[in-house]
Structure formats: structure tokens, C-alpha cells
Amino acid sequence: MANALWLGKAFHVDTTYRNSVYHKYGSEVHQIEFKNTVLAVSKINEWVTKNTNNRIQNIVNLPDLNANTKLVISNAVYFKGEWLKAFKKSATHKNVFFTDSINQYRTDFMNKTEKLMYFENEAFHFVAKPYKQSNLSFGIILPKDFFGLEAVESQLNDKLFIELLEDADTTNVRLSMPKIKLKSKLKLKSVLQKLGLETMFNQEADFSRINRNDSLHFSQVIHQTHLDLNEEYTEVAAATVAITSIRGIPKRKDIVADHPFMFFIFDNHTRSILFIGRFTKPQNGERVEEDEFSTDLVQRIINEIKPNKRTGWSYGTQPLTVIVDGKDLIAVDLNDIDFDDVEDIKSYKVEAIQLASKGYEGLL
């Protein structure tokens, strides 16, 4: 992790503030001429690139700085961790990832069975895979509802996360998850304002402890990330710049992360989260054609139903009912439905050969 302050040539930071960021965060201090915008952009980008092992480049561009810029605060984080037990490349196979009910992608899934930290409740599965020679682990929160990520995210907080780790047990888990490669660059001003941080971007901002003589406010906060997760390791880089201007567990659990999930890298001892994100779409996935949607999605939900669970009216075959609520699909037994609560029933045309291949005689 690296931090730096970039000061305009004529801008003076309060000594107390300068000492504080140096002793607490090891922050470097650089004097720079913001009037020479090309040079300023080059210097800041060069620093970020160096401190993220060349993974993040060009975090700031010419329009982000100008002659009125007085201070840029930069932060860069780089992490590369090898798995304690690597996935075997020979066990990597194509599988379908369901972004939602109308967007599905074939992509590489890594597979391994090992003893891992595991927890589940009525809403989600949690599994954590450790890294070698560190106290860090890679965690996944996988919603039980296929497209229930937002509902799970709305419940998650620091207290729940700590309780989750405390309640997790070491369990034999067969983990199947996609290889992940993510890149993003976000300008966070509007997001932070929606979260209530409005004053920092307007004339009412009070940053007098940074500089007592000039009235400062932030003009933008830029965050860029890079993540590469494969059979051997996880590599993550992140950088942020803030620009200111004048003013109950079975013997083995199968976890198939084939629909949107949360992920994070955390410290097992301090319970601190170092990185957090969400995976909703493979970047290099092969889009599944529409005429294959029902086959892939139905097959995936069938796999979630216990094969020995029968119903009396179905001639010994397992009926499949999918309740649709917006983009949420939930598999249930027909006998468990309270039809007084049903608002609408629709029939869907499916090719007979698709039904026959799955052992069904009809679809409602």
C-alpha cells in the first residue's frame, strides 16, 4: 500500500496535517506545478503505475486537473496471493454463468474439493479459500436465490460479517467458481454525494486543518481497480485519487458460483476486509444463444432439487415449478404452493425434444 500528497508549488499544507499523514499512513509528499497539466498528469500516473506493479495506468487524464488544482491525494494498493491449495488447471471446464434470466454466458469454471471455512443461512452460502503464507483468505457470499444478490447486499454489514466468520466451520466443500478478470474505473463524486457526502464538494467544505489560509473543496474522487483470479493466484490492484480545488452442515457441500455473488479478500485475524466487489458477468464469456436459455437454466435448477423427492400425482417423475418475481427465479415443489397466493399463471412454449430430454411431458 502506498499513499502520496501532490501539492501545488505555491500551496502549503499545515505542518500538523503533513506529519499526521506521514506517521499514520506513510504518505509521501511531492511538490508539483499544476499549471503544467501534462507534466502533473504524467507524474501522478507514473507513481500509481509503479505502485500497482503496472496494473493500473492513466488513472488521471488532462481534463481532471487544471491550474486551479491545489492538492491531489493518491492511494494505491497491490496484492498478489497464491492459493494455499491451487486449483488444478486440468479440472477447469466450461460452464454457464447466469447473469440474469436473459443474459447467460459460457466461461471457464475452476473446480476443487477441499476443507474450507463454510457457513450458510436461509439467504446465502459463504465459503472462504485461504492464501499461502498469509492470514488472508478469499471469501464468497453466494445468494441461494439465483438473482438475489441485491437483497443479500442490503443485509450485509460489519456486525453480520463478523458473526458470519465466527459461525463458519471447516467443511469438506466442492467449490466450482469462474475465473475472474475485472477492470473498472469510476468517478465517485455523484456516488458519494448520494451517500450524503455533499459538503466536501461545495463551498461549505471545511478543510482548514489541511490549509488554514485557502478555502478548499474536492472536485472529484477517482477509483480504478484491476483483479485477476485464476487457478494459481489472485492479483488485485486498486488506486484512488481525490482532487481538491479552491473551494448445520452436511459431510460435503457443493457450491457452484454460477450466478451473481459478492467476493472479498479479508484478514482472518483482524476480520478486516481489504477488497470487496461483486461478480455479475464474465468479461470474456461466450454469450449463450436465446434458444438455449431454457435448457441451461432449467438444467441448473433441476440440479438443485433433491432427486429422491417425489410427488404423488406425477407418475413417479419430479415436477419442476419456477416462481418468477421480476428477475428472481425460485425452484419449488408444486405441492408446496399456496394457490391462493398465485397472482398469475402463464404457459410457455418449449420444443418437445427439450422436454423429452429432461423427462418432462409438458410445461406450464
Side-chain angles (χ1 to χ4, degrees):
M1 178 181 290
N3 301 284
L5 298 179
W6 304 85
L7 311 178
K9 288 287 187 182
F11 184 77
H12 298 285
V13 169
D14 186 83
T15 303
T16 302
Y17 177 79
R18 183 194 288 254
N19 291 338
S20 178
V21 295
Y22 174 76
H23 290 295
K24 290 182 178 179
Y25 309 109
S27 183
E28 305 170 14
V29 178
H30 302 276
Q31 296 284 156
I32 197 168
E33 182 57 78
F34 286 110
K35 291 180 180 179
N36 187 343
T37 309
V38 174
L39 179 61
V41 166
S42 175
K43 289 288 186 183
I44 294 171
N45 284 337
E46 186 178 300
W47 181 90
V48 170
T49 299
K50 176 184 175 182
N51 284 283
T52 58
N53 199 29
N54 297 314
R55 293 299 183 263
I56 293 179
Q57 303 178 14
N58 303 320
I59 190 171
V60 291
N61 299 307
L62 289 176
D64 298 322
L65 305 178
N66 56 53
N68 290 325
T69 302
K70 299 300 179 185
L71 169 67
V72 171
I73 304 173
S74 59
N75 164 265
V77 181
Y78 176 75
F79 167 80
K80 184 174 181 178
E82 294 183 24
W83 300 118
L84 182 62
K85 294 183 179 180
F87 293 91
K88 290 184 178 180
K89 291 185 178 181
S90 59
T92 297
H93 305 292
K94 294 287 185 183
N95 198 1
V96 177
F97 186 90
F98 301 94
T99 293
D100 53 45
S101 58
I102 59 173
N103 291 288
Q104 303 165 16
Y105 302 87
R106 286 193 181 86
T107 191
D108 287 332
F109 274 68
M110 305 177 294
N111 300 275
K112 187 172 183 61
T113 300
E114 60 180 309
K115 291 188 180 298
L116 298 173
M117 285 178 60
Y118 176 80
F119 169 84
E120 70 171 290
N121 58 22
E122 68 282 353
F124 61 81
H125 304 276
F126 164 76
V127 63
K129 184 172 173 62
Y131 292 106
K132 184 186 296 184
Q133 297 176 340
S134 77
N135 296 322
L136 305 181
S137 292
F138 181 86
I140 291 177
I141 291 181
L142 179 70
K144 290 189 174 181
D145 286 351
F146 251 52
F147 310 119
L149 179 59
E150 290 185 4
V152 171
E153 287 178 334
S154 67
Q155 300 174 20
L156 190 64
N157 53 44
D158 56 346
K159 182 180 178 181
L160 178 62
F161 179 71
I162 292 174
E163 290 177 354
L164 181 157
L165 294 180
E166 290 177 347
D167 292 340
D169 287 321
T170 301
T171 307
N172 201 31
V173 176
R174 186 184 73 84
L175 177 62
S176 180
M177 63 176 293
K179 296 170 70 170
I180 301 176
K181 202 162 208 175
L182 299 176
K183 290 183 180 180
S184 68
K185 182 177 181 179
L186 303 171
K187 293 194 174 183
L188 300 177
K189 179 179 179 178
S190 61
V191 175
L192 294 173
Q193 287 175 324
K194 288 178 181 177
L195 291 173
L197 298 176
E198 297 181 359
T199 306
M200 63 182 287
F201 295 103
N202 61 40
Q203 300 297 328
E204 297 178 8
D206 180 6
F207 292 106
S208 57
R209 291 189 179 184
I210 296 178
N211 181 289
R212 300 181 186 279
N213 300 318
D214 293 316
S215 178
L216 301 175
H217 67 270
F218 285 81
S219 58
Q220 187 57 269
V221 176
I222 305 169
H223 182 74
Q224 189 168 340
T225 58
H226 166 99
L227 184 145
D228 186 3
L229 183 149
N230 56 41
E231 292 91 346
E232 298 174 354
Y233 61 82
T234 301
E235 183 179 44
V236 185
T240 304
V241 294
I243 303 165
T244 61
S245 305
I246 292 180
R247 283 312 325 138
I249 305 173
K251 292 183 179 179
R252 191 188 83 174
K253 198 68 183 179
D254 291 352
I255 302 300
V256 183
D258 62 356
H259 52 282
F261 58 84
M262 293 179 63
F263 65 85
F264 39 90
I265 296 173
F266 66 95
D267 189 304
N268 294 287
H269 288 176
T270 66
R271 311 291 174 85
S272 300
I273 296 176
L274 283 72
F275 297 93
I276 188 168
R278 66 206 310 251
F279 186 79
T280 59
K281 176 186 174 182
Q283 280 198 339
N284 300 318
E286 173 193 354
R287 189 182 177 91
V288 177
E289 296 299 325
E290 189 173 353
D291 59 0
E292 298 180 61
F293 279 4
S294 59
T295 302
D296 286 326
L297 189 55
V298 167
Q299 184 61 54
R300 176 64 180 89
I301 299 177
I302 290 172
N303 292 340
E304 291 295 304
I305 300 176
K306 293 181 180 179
N308 60 352
K309 194 172 183 181
R310 305 288 186 177
T311 56
W313 55 270
S314 60
Y315 303 97
T317 60
Q318 171 64 56
L320 173 71
T321 305
V322 178
I323 296 179
V324 181
D325 179 12
K327 290 185 177 180
D328 295 339
L329 286 83
I330 308 169
V332 299
D333 285 330
L334 198 60
N335 289 348
D336 294 335
I337 296 175
D338 182 354
F339 281 91
D340 290 335
D341 292 335
V342 174
E343 294 182 359
D344 188 25
I345 296 179
K346 294 181 180 179
S347 60
Y348 295 87
K349 182 180 179 182
V350 178
E351 295 295 330
I353 190 170
Q354 291 183 14
L355 291 174
S357 67
K358 300 293 181 290
Y360 296 99
E361 297 179 8
L363 179 69
L364 180 65

